Amino acid sequence: MDFQAGILQDGSPMESLEKQLICPICLEMFSKPVVILPCQHNLCRKCANDVFQATNPYGQSRGSLISGGRFRCPSCRHEVLLDRHGVYGLQRNLLVENIIDIYKQECSSRPLKKGEHPMCKDHEDERINIYCVTCEVPTCSMCKVFGAHKDCEVAPLQTVFQGQKTELNNCIAMLVAGNDRIQTIISQLEDSCQSTKENSEAAKRELCARFDALAALLEEKKEELLQRISQEQADKTAFIQSLICQYKEQLEKSSRLVETAIQAAEETGGAAFLMNAKQLIKTIVEASKGGRLDKIEQGYESMDAFSVSLDHLTEAVHALDFNPAEEDEEYFDGEEEEVEE
């Protein structure tokens, strides 16, 4: 009981409750509040419809009650897909409506306290009830009759209030629409960033593939040239080995002939010596004349003929760069002319 009495006597809990019942668009107490699923924020149904129509200018007419599309919550920017009924298809928050009714009944049952309505600072007993259009400030009737605003143009406070409230609502709708456009641009920029990344990865893969193919071609050419050098080495080595065998055979024959000649020279008997000497001398003379074999030319073992100059290829590699679009077009045009020729 003491706690409830404290709530009724202290205005802060009621003020806190009132803040929870204020629409973020019109800044007034909810009127037919609708709940935005799944973020659970509330809006006046009319305010929600105004925001939806402002953010969908190319949809159906503002007077139409049937318009599906996307709706972005102005409180948390959560996006909701509406059906063909538009915002009128959103669920009414009956709990909030009941709380508003109870709050209004409670406020109407309490006596009006001095200070709950703004009072004029020049006339303390006068409530501020008119608006000075000239000075653009709210004031009281006494200020208009006798005070500082007697020569100014005034208007009913409620009229100016409704006009500026409508203007503020329009500004809020414009801000919400502008935020949606900015969000769209951000999404497009993020998509462009992602596309740039994907295109860059594709270009890297293509470049690596071309360099790998070039490296494979160079490796294949290197193996071919190495094979040619190995073949030349085998041919020359085989020829030199055949000459070595021939010279060894000749040396062996010559050595045997020398031994035979030495044995004949050691013969002491004249008749026995003369029987073989003439034929032996003739054999030695013929062997010395006709026993000449082939020789290799000077520098036969050199492999200088297999040296390769890669300077032009090195320069071409250093000159590698990405082709501009114009050069690519000229290159393809040249290929087409060659094909036509």
Side-chain angles (χ1 to χ4, degrees):
M1 293 298 294
D2 295 339
F3 176 72
Q4 293 178 353
I7 293 179
L8 295 177
Q9 293 175 4
D10 189 2
S12 58
M14 298 300 293
E15 292 176 0
S16 300
L17 177 61
E18 182 178 358
K19 291 179 181 179
Q20 300 298 323
L21 301 177
I22 297 299
C23 174
I25 301 299
C26 64
L27 303 180
E28 294 183 355
M29 198 164 293
F30 287 118
S31 174
K32 297 181 180 179
V34 292
V35 61
I36 303 173
L37 299 175
C39 66
Q40 297 294 318
H41 288 121
N42 294 278
L43 293 175
C44 296
R45 187 167 65 183
K46 181 180 180 304
C47 296
N49 188 59
D50 290 341
V51 172
F52 176 69
Q53 295 293 343
T55 55
N56 294 270
Y58 301 106
Q60 300 184 10
S61 62
R62 294 177 63 90
S64 176
L65 299 180
I66 301 177
S67 55
R70 296 183 180 275
F71 180 80
R72 194 183 298 275
C73 176
S75 298
C76 65
R77 314 301 301 160
H78 183 81
E79 192 173 73
V80 178
L81 184 62
L82 302 181
D83 58 13
R84 62 186 182 87
H85 299 289
V87 297
Y88 289 88
L90 293 174
Q91 183 179 358
R92 290 271 296 274
N93 197 332
L94 300 179
L95 176 60
V96 174
E97 290 188 24
N98 294 333
I99 293 175
I100 291 174
D101 292 338
I102 296 173
Y103 174 80
K104 289 181 178 179
Q105 293 175 5
E106 176 64 25
C107 290
S108 61
S109 63
R110 289 189 300 164
L112 186 61
K113 296 181 181 179
K114 183 178 180 180
E116 291 186 354
H117 191 282
M119 308 300 289
C120 179
K121 64 180 181 179
D122 296 329
H123 307 90
E124 297 181 356
D125 295 331
E126 293 294 329
R127 299 173 58 185
I128 294 177
N129 55 0
I130 60 175
Y131 186 83
C132 179
V133 180
T134 304
C135 300
E136 297 183 347
V137 292
T139 184
C140 70
S141 302
M142 296 298 294
C143 289
K144 171 59 180 171
V145 177
F146 304 105
H149 303 282
K150 62 181 180 179
D151 297 326
C152 298
E153 180 184 356
V154 296
L157 186 66
Q158 191 66 22
T159 302
V160 179
F161 167 74
Q162 292 296 338
Q164 291 193 2
K165 183 62 72 67
T166 302
E167 184 178 357
L168 180 60
N169 291 337
N170 294 336
C171 292
I172 293 174
M174 286 190 298
L175 285 176
V176 172
N179 290 341
D180 287 340
R181 287 193 294 270
I182 293 174
Q183 184 63 41
T184 301
I185 294 174
I186 292 175
S187 299
Q188 292 175 350
L189 292 176
E190 290 176 348
D191 293 341
S192 298
C193 184
Q194 182 64 25
S195 298
T196 301
K197 179 181 178 181
E198 294 174 356
N199 294 337
S200 176
E201 295 297 330
K204 289 179 181 179
R205 289 194 296 269
E206 181 181 0
L207 184 64
C208 291
R210 294 196 175 190
F211 269 83
D212 291 343
L214 180 60
L217 180 61
L218 289 174
E219 186 67 23
E220 181 181 353
K221 193 64 178 178
K222 183 186 74 172
E223 293 298 328
E224 177 187 346
L225 296 179
L226 288 175
Q227 184 63 29
R228 289 174 57 183
I229 295 175
S230 299
Q231 185 62 42
E232 184 69 13
Q233 176 189 358
D235 294 342
K236 288 187 175 182
T237 302
F239 178 71
I240 294 173
Q241 290 293 340
S242 67
L243 289 181
I244 292 174
C245 292
Q246 293 178 18
Y247 276 99
K248 284 184 177 180
E249 290 179 0
Q250 184 179 2
L251 179 61
E252 186 178 355
K253 290 180 181 180
S254 178
S255 298
R256 289 198 301 267
L257 189 58
V258 169
E259 292 178 359
T260 303
I262 292 174
Q263 292 177 0
E266 293 176 353
E267 183 65 42
T268 57
F273 176 79
L274 293 175
M275 290 178 62
N276 298 320
K278 187 175 182 178
Q279 182 63 35
L280 181 60
I281 293 172
K282 182 179 179 180
T283 302
I284 293 173
V285 172
E286 290 179 354
S288 62
K289 291 181 178 180
R292 295 182 181 180
L293 301 175
D294 295 333
K295 296 180 180 179
I296 60 175
E297 299 177 356
Q298 185 177 1
Y300 179 78
E301 67 279 3
S302 175
M303 289 291 181
D304 295 340
F306 293 93
S307 63
V308 176
S309 177
L310 299 178
D311 294 340
H312 64 289
L313 188 58
T314 303
E315 294 176 358
V317 171
H318 284 301
L320 281 177
D321 201 351
F322 299 106
N323 295 326
E326 296 180 358
E327 295 183 2
D328 289 344
E329 292 177 359
E330 293 176 0
Y331 175 75
F332 288 120
D333 292 341
E335 283 189 343
E336 292 177 357
E337 292 176 359
E338 292 177 0
V339 172
E340 291 177 359
E341 290 177 359

